[in-house]
Amino acid sequence: MRVFNYIVLMMSIVVLAACGSKTEETVTYTGDMNGFDTTVEMTAKGDDVVREKIVQVVDFKTAGFNSKEEVDEWLVQQKEYNKNALADLPEDTVTIDYKIDDKNITIITHTNYEDVDIQKLIDAGFIKTDGDKDAKHISKEKTEANYKNMGLKKSE
């Protein structure tokens, strides 16, 4: 379960209501988060985050697993959890893919924030707010600050 907690942590984004530019800009953050090799590609229009791709790679032991069999069991449970959590969201709002090899788990999460009710993402547990119950969008500025606080570095 440690793996899923880090996914949620990575998606624990500060949400605010504001307006911004319509020009898209993509920034990348990378780093090690408690043994998880993490890369985040965030695309925003002004201060509105419109898409994110988060790739996390972790070895079995760091993730708390002793064998590939344990990982396979967790994966079945995780996919069922995701299916239920995503049931009320429009298709392709959040997609989570898993790649398992002999020693690593790779989790690839794509989130599309455009044309989606942010409250539904909050209710599904895929993002957390700073207490703003009327959030309308994901703030790029606050998200970047959050990533920096988590130890990720902006790629140039």
PDB file of all heavy atoms in Angstrom, residues 8 60 68 107:
ATOM      1  N   VAL A   8      -0.802   9.278  -4.342  1.00  0.00           N
ATOM      2  CA  VAL A   8      -1.673  10.316  -3.816  1.00  0.00           C
ATOM      3  C   VAL A   8      -0.845  11.505  -3.352  1.00  0.00           C
ATOM      4  O   VAL A   8      -1.194  12.652  -3.594  1.00  0.00           O
ATOM      5  CB  VAL A   8      -2.563   9.774  -2.683  1.00  0.00           C
ATOM      6  CG1 VAL A   8      -3.324  10.903  -2.016  1.00  0.00           C
ATOM      7  CG2 VAL A   8      -3.520   8.738  -3.235  1.00  0.00           C
ATOM      8  N   PHE A  60      10.930  -3.377  -5.651  1.00  0.00           N
ATOM      9  CA  PHE A  60       9.966  -4.086  -4.813  1.00  0.00           C
ATOM     10  C   PHE A  60      10.212  -3.853  -3.328  1.00  0.00           C
ATOM     11  O   PHE A  60       9.292  -3.577  -2.569  1.00  0.00           O
ATOM     12  CB  PHE A  60      10.011  -5.596  -5.082  1.00  0.00           C
ATOM     13  CG  PHE A  60       9.558  -6.022  -6.452  1.00  0.00           C
ATOM     14  CD1 PHE A  60       9.769  -7.324  -6.862  1.00  0.00           C
ATOM     15  CD2 PHE A  60       8.936  -5.158  -7.341  1.00  0.00           C
ATOM     16  CE1 PHE A  60       9.364  -7.761  -8.123  1.00  0.00           C
ATOM     17  CE2 PHE A  60       8.522  -5.572  -8.600  1.00  0.00           C
ATOM     18  CZ  PHE A  60       8.736  -6.878  -8.984  1.00  0.00           C
ATOM     19  N   LYS A  68       7.785 -10.858  -6.336  1.00  0.00           N
ATOM     20  CA  LYS A  68       6.942 -10.471  -7.469  1.00  0.00           C
ATOM     21  C   LYS A  68       5.512 -10.953  -7.247  1.00  0.00           C
ATOM     22  O   LYS A  68       4.562 -10.277  -7.653  1.00  0.00           O
ATOM     23  CB  LYS A  68       7.503 -11.027  -8.773  1.00  0.00           C
ATOM     24  CG  LYS A  68       6.741 -10.512  -9.997  1.00  0.00           C
ATOM     25  CD  LYS A  68       7.438 -10.839 -11.280  1.00  0.00           C
ATOM     26  CE  LYS A  68       6.797 -10.246 -12.499  1.00  0.00           C
ATOM     27  NZ  LYS A  68       5.360 -10.351 -12.614  1.00  0.00           N
ATOM     28  N   ILE A 107       4.865   3.107 -12.296  1.00  0.00           N
ATOM     29  CA  ILE A 107       3.488   3.585 -12.280  1.00  0.00           C
ATOM     30  C   ILE A 107       3.441   4.850 -13.125  1.00  0.00           C
ATOM     31  O   ILE A 107       4.191   5.794 -12.877  1.00  0.00           O
ATOM     32  CB  ILE A 107       3.026   3.898 -10.848  1.00  0.00           C
ATOM     33  CG1 ILE A 107       3.210   2.671  -9.953  1.00  0.00           C
ATOM     34  CG2 ILE A 107       1.568   4.374 -10.845  1.00  0.00           C
ATOM     35  CD1 ILE A 107       3.151   2.973  -8.486  1.00  0.00           C
TER      36      ILE A 107
END
